């Protein structure tokens, strides 16, 4: 029994005797650098039995029905393009990347992009890098893949079933009819935000640019001003969208202890989901608290305990202390679209009836995982695991190749407190030991040992929004470990000659 309202799709049984685990057939069309894809020809298969090897999947036969048209063009789809107008590292499908960027890539983070896997035949794009070219080029292959599954969609007799049906637009003629068939609606602001947020959040297990950051209950709220200068707390913080806003909040000083937006807990208590719809949560850590007095002097607290707004009576007027004036988020993420760390800094102040309405400032910055980025920059593209001992060594003689030994060292700089510092790779030192091998008249250079040493140092953590220049270096040293050779000659040959017994006849 099928759901009402969904027209049937014709499902073709592709040879039950075929091996389900057979490899996918593909006819590639290759282009480099430029993404002007060449359409690959579709293979035409007959409907009569053929003498094909056993275990090979049978391709679908021709039919008079229409073939499904993919909704998404995989040739222009790029799932790793997270930053607008900026090249993402190792993202081979990013249109913002140039040949200079490809030269520092190590591999394609997303090598294959496919469409709907339920189709019997679908387009797929394969990305790779050609490091032999100068400069290095991106290789783009558009292929037709045959689904090896025995159940797949081959012919569709109702094309709208492959996508969502366009809703009927209300007008003066059909408004009453739509109201009777619908369940009603509400203009409640909380319901509207929650509804739109669920629609915008993708099902993929990663954050993409502009996607709201999910928390355990809804989304990370980032106050901002919309139609006026007044603060609106229902604005979601979006992934990779750096913001710095100022807005005004009208408050009743007598009720400052009850207003959530004035408390630190309102901003520090949520837990951000590591990826959308994930069970892994990233807590928000308070890194610093700065107290601003009425005369604008700033004092940093030694602890990071959460403080609550408190109403204090000072003679004929009242004061509210520990009120949030500034909030700074600093989020760390990876190339895979995961949030790994969330830091928070506060500026708290004292509010009197003179400064009401209150002005607040909010900032949010996204910092990429610096250690991972620097490490990939030092290793470069395709760092090998073995090196050849001679210049003419054969690739198939793997036992003759020399393995590379990897070492990681860490050094702590003086005057840095360990809990307030982070380890960053700063240098890659490669040591190659070689020896002279063979004859003294024509010795050959032979590599006997290779060591790659990644050296890390501790750097003090920067405050949110600050930048620091870090110098990195690479070095290669060649060490001659040849043993001293001594020139010599072979020992003279021993003469082992025997004279005949009658050699001195007739004298003896």
């Amino acid at each position: 029994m099928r759901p009402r309202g969904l027209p049937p799709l014709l499902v073709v049984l592709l040879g039950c005797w075929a091996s389900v685990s057979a490899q996918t057939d593909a006819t590639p069309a290759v282009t480099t650098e430029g993404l002007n894809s060449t359409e690959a020809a579709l293979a035409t298969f007959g409907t009569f039995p053929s003498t094909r090897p056993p275990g090979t999947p049978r391709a679908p036969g021709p039919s008079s029905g229409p073939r499904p048209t993919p909704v998404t063009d995989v040739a222009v789809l790029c799932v790793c393009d997270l930053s607008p107008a900026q090249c993402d590292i190792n993202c081979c499908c990013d249109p913002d990347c140039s040949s200079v960027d490809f030269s520092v890539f190590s591999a394609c983070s997303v090598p294959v992009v496919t469409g709907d896997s339920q189709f019997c035949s679908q387009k797929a794009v394969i990305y790779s890098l050609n490091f032999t070219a100068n400069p290095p080029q991106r290789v783009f292959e558009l292929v037709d893949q045959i689904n090896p599954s025995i159940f797949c969609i081959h012919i569709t007799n109702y094309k709208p079933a492959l996508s969502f049906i366009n809703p009927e637009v209300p007008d003066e003629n059909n408004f009453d009819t739509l109201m009777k068939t619908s369940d009603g609606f509400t203009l409640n602001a909380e319901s509207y935000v929650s509804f739109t947020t669920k629609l915008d959040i993708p099902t993929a297990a990663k954050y993409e640019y502009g996607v709201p950051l999910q928390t355990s209950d809804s989304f990370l709220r980032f106050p901002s001003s919309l139609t006026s200068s007044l603060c609106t707390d229902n604005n979601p913080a979006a992934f990779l969208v750096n913001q710095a806003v100022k807005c005004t909040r009208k408050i009743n000083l007598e009720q400052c202890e009850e207003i959530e937006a004035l408390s630190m807990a309102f901003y520090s208590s949520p837990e951000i989901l590591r990826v959308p719809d994930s069970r892994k949560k990233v807590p928000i850590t308070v890194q610093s608290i700065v107290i601003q007095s009425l005369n604008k002097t700033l004092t940093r607290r030694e602890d990071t305990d959460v403080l609550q707004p408190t109403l204090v009576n000072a003679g004929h007027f009242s004061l509210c202390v520990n009120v949030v004036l500034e909030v700074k988020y600093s989020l760390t993420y990876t190339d895979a679209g995961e949030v790994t760390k969330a830091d928070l800094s506060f500026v708290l102040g004292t509010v009197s009836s003179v400064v009401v309405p209150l002005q607040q400032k909010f900032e949010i910055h996204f910092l990429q995982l610096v250690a991972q980025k620097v490490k990939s920059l030092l290793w470069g593209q395709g760092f090998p695991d073995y090196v050849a001992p001679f210049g003419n060594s054969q690739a198939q003689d793997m036992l003759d190749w020399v393995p590379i030994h990897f070492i990681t060292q860490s050094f702590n700089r003086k005057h840095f407190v360990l809990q307030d510092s982070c380890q960053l790779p700063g240098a890659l030192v490669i040591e190659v030991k070689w020896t002279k091998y063979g004859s003294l008249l024509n010795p050959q250079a032979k590599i006997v040992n290779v060591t790659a040493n990644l050296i890390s140092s501790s750097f003090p953590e920067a405050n949110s929004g600050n930048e620091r220049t870090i110098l990195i270096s690479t070095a290669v040293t060649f060490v001659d470990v040849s043993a001293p050779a001594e020139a010599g000659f072979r020992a003279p040959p021993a003469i082992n000659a025997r004279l005949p017994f009658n050699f001195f006849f007739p004298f003896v």
Side-chain angles (χ1 to χ4, degrees), residues 59-82:
S63 175
S64 59
R67 299 294 293 273
T69 302
V71 179
T72 303
D73 186 5
V74 294
V76 297
L77 181 63
C78 189
V79 296
C80 58
D81 186 6
L82 302 178

Side-chain angles (χ1 to χ4, degrees), residues 30-38 102 137-141:
V30 182
T31 60
T32 59
E33 179 56 30
L35 296 183
N36 297 327
S37 59
T38 305
F102 298 147
Q137 291 181 338
R138 156 182 53 189
V139 181
F140 172 90
E141 300 181 38

Side-chain angles (χ1 to χ4, degrees), residues 174-185:
N174 61 3
F175 183 80
D176 295 335
T177 305
L178 294 177
M179 283 294 297
K180 294 179 181 179
T181 58
S182 65
D183 295 332
F185 61 92

Side-chain angles (χ1 to χ4, degrees), residues 264-284:
M264 291 177 55
F266 180 74
Y267 308 97
S268 62
S269 60
E271 293 182 323
I272 303 175
L273 300 188
R274 189 180 183 92
V275 293
D277 301 327
S278 172
R279 295 183 179 180
K280 296 182 179 179
K281 304 175 183 178
V282 178
I284 299 178

Side-chain angles (χ1 to χ4, degrees), residues 498-508:
R498 299 183 62 183
L499 299 177
F501 70 94
N502 58 352
F503 180 77
F504 294 100
F505 179 83
F507 303 102
V508 178

Side-chain angles (χ1 to χ4, degrees), residues 186-267:
T186 178
L187 294 179
N188 183 272
E190 294 289 338
S191 302
Y192 175 76
V193 172
S194 177
F195 176 74
T196 54
T197 303
K198 293 180 179 179
L199 291 181
D200 293 338
I201 294 175
T203 58
K206 70 171 185 177
Y207 284 109
E208 296 181 354
Y209 178 83
V211 173
L213 294 174
Q214 295 186 27
T215 59
S216 54
D217 53 352
S218 57
F219 56 86
L220 182 63
R221 289 176 168 84
F222 184 78
S224 63
S225 57
L226 297 180
T227 58
S228 64
S229 61
L230 297 179
C231 297
T232 302
D233 296 325
N234 290 327
N235 179 50
F239 185 63
L240 295 184
V241 179
N242 297 329
Q243 301 183 64
V245 298
K246 292 182 179 179
C247 57
T248 305
R249 194 181 301 274
K250 293 182 179 181
I251 62 174
N252 184 354
L253 195 62
E254 301 296 330
Q255 300 177 352
C256 69
E257 298 179 352
E258 303 175 2
I259 302 176
E260 293 183 343
L262 304 182
S263 173
M264 291 177 55
F266 180 74
Y267 308 97

Side-chain angles (χ1 to χ4, degrees), residues 267-315:
Y267 308 97
S268 62
S269 60
E271 293 182 323
I272 303 175
L273 300 188
R274 189 180 183 92
V275 293
D277 301 327
S278 172
R279 295 183 179 180
K280 296 182 179 179
K281 304 175 183 178
V282 178
I284 299 178
T285 305
V286 179
Q287 293 292 341
S288 65
I289 301 176
V290 177
I291 304 298
Q292 176 178 306
S293 63
L294 288 176
N295 58 1
K296 305 300 182 181
T297 59
L298 300 177
T299 304
R300 180 168 179 173
R301 290 179 57 90
E302 296 181 357
D303 60 87
T304 57
D305 298 336
V306 177
L307 303 178
Q308 298 293 335
T310 305
L311 186 63
V312 178
N313 294 323

